[in-house]
């Protein structure tokens, strides 16, 4: 089954956990000759503040904030690709604004991703309930297999 993996998606939020997941995805990709898609999703504030309640000035500021964050994410992804992977043609980068879980699932479908490799914080209980369990939602909704990398105990 792992020999058939040609495209691996590695969601990245630039945290140490996601960097660990990215490195695991790259190791696996080297072993099977797959390409890696590094994807960063910027969650919009209007997810939390309904836009109909926002003024046009607030909407303009939010759009400007999102555009700046998108540009910054694209620059960071390009830097990571060059620094960590020597600008390999087997590494593709993508950044977009949207609901992280849905955008990752949509990207996996659109790009015919074979495997998603992502790290988890390993939270449980109330902390898990408050933070929503993004990894769990991806596992449930993904159109492909998901490999979850747990944080190593120090």
């Amino acid at each position: 089954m792992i020999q058939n993996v040609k495209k691996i998606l590695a969601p990245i939020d630039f945290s140490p956990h996601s960097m660990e997941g990215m490195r695991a995805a790259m190791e696996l990709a080297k072993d099977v000759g797959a390409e890696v898609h590094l994807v960063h999703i910027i969650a919009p504030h209007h997810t939390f503040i309904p836009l109909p309640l926002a003024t046009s000035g607030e909407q303009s500021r939010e759009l400007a904030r999102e555009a700046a964050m998108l540009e910054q994410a694209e620059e960071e992804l390009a830097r990571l690709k060059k620094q960590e992977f020597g600008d390999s043609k087997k590494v593709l980068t993508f950044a977009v604004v949207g609901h992280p879980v849905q955008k990752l699932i949509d990207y996996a479908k659109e790009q015919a991703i074979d495997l998603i490799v992502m790290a988890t914080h390993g939270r449980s209980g109330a902390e898990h309930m408050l933070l929503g369990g993004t990894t769990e939602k991806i596992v449930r909704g993904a159109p492909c297999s998901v490999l979850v990398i747990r944080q190593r105990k120090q």
Side-chain angles (χ1 to χ4, degrees), residues 36-83:
V36 174
H37 295 242
L38 300 177
V39 177
H40 178 74
I41 311 297
I42 297 160
H45 277 169
H46 68 259
T47 301
F48 309 107
I49 304 168
L51 277 181
L53 299 178
T55 67
S56 63
E58 289 171 328
Q59 289 176 339
S60 295
R61 281 191 298 279
E62 175 62 13
L63 291 175
R65 182 195 73 83
E66 289 172 358
M69 290 181 75
L70 195 57
E71 184 178 337
Q72 184 180 9
E74 289 168 345
E75 289 171 3
E76 184 65 13
L77 286 168
R79 185 195 64 75
L80 254 181
K81 178 180 176 180
K82 186 174 184 178
Q83 189 175 22

Side-chain angles (χ1 to χ4, degrees), residues 100-114:
V101 172
Q102 192 57 54
K103 286 292 183 182
L104 289 169
I105 290 170
D106 291 346
Y107 185 91
K109 288 176 184 174
E110 292 163 8
Q111 297 296 318
I113 298 294
D114 301 304

Side-chain angles (χ1 to χ4, degrees), residues 4-146:
N4 296 330
V5 173
K6 302 294 181 225
K7 294 181 180 183
I8 300 172
L9 168 58
I12 186 162
D13 63 7
F14 307 113
S15 70
H17 296 99
S18 71
M19 298 297 279
E20 192 174 326
M22 174 195 69
R23 289 186 182 101
M26 281 307 298
E27 285 179 37
L28 181 59
K30 285 179 186 173
D31 290 347
V32 299
E35 65 185 29
V36 174
H37 295 242
L38 300 177
V39 177
H40 178 74
I41 311 297
I42 297 160
H45 277 169
H46 68 259
T47 301
F48 309 107
I49 304 168
L51 277 181
L53 299 178
T55 67
S56 63
E58 289 171 328
Q59 289 176 339
S60 295
R61 281 191 298 279
E62 175 62 13
L63 291 175
R65 182 195 73 83
E66 289 172 358
M69 290 181 75
L70 195 57
E71 184 178 337
Q72 184 180 9
E74 289 168 345
E75 289 171 3
E76 184 65 13
L77 286 168
R79 185 195 64 75
L80 254 181
K81 178 180 176 180
K82 186 174 184 178
Q83 189 175 22
E84 297 272 336
F85 312 111
D87 232 0
S88 170
K89 291 184 184 348
K90 287 241 179 199
V91 177
L92 294 100
T93 62
F94 182 72
V96 68
V97 175
H99 184 271
V101 172
Q102 192 57 54
K103 286 292 183 182
L104 289 169
I105 290 170
D106 291 346
Y107 185 91
K109 288 176 184 174
E110 292 163 8
Q111 297 296 318
I113 298 294
D114 301 304
L115 179 67
I116 299 172
V117 177
M118 60 190 304
T120 182
H121 295 284
R123 293 183 176 107
S124 60
E127 195 175 18
H128 171 77
M129 295 291 285
L130 289 172
L131 295 171
T134 301
T135 303
E136 182 178 344
K137 291 174 186 172
I138 297 289
V139 168
R140 292 181 187 276
C144 58
S145 296
V146 179

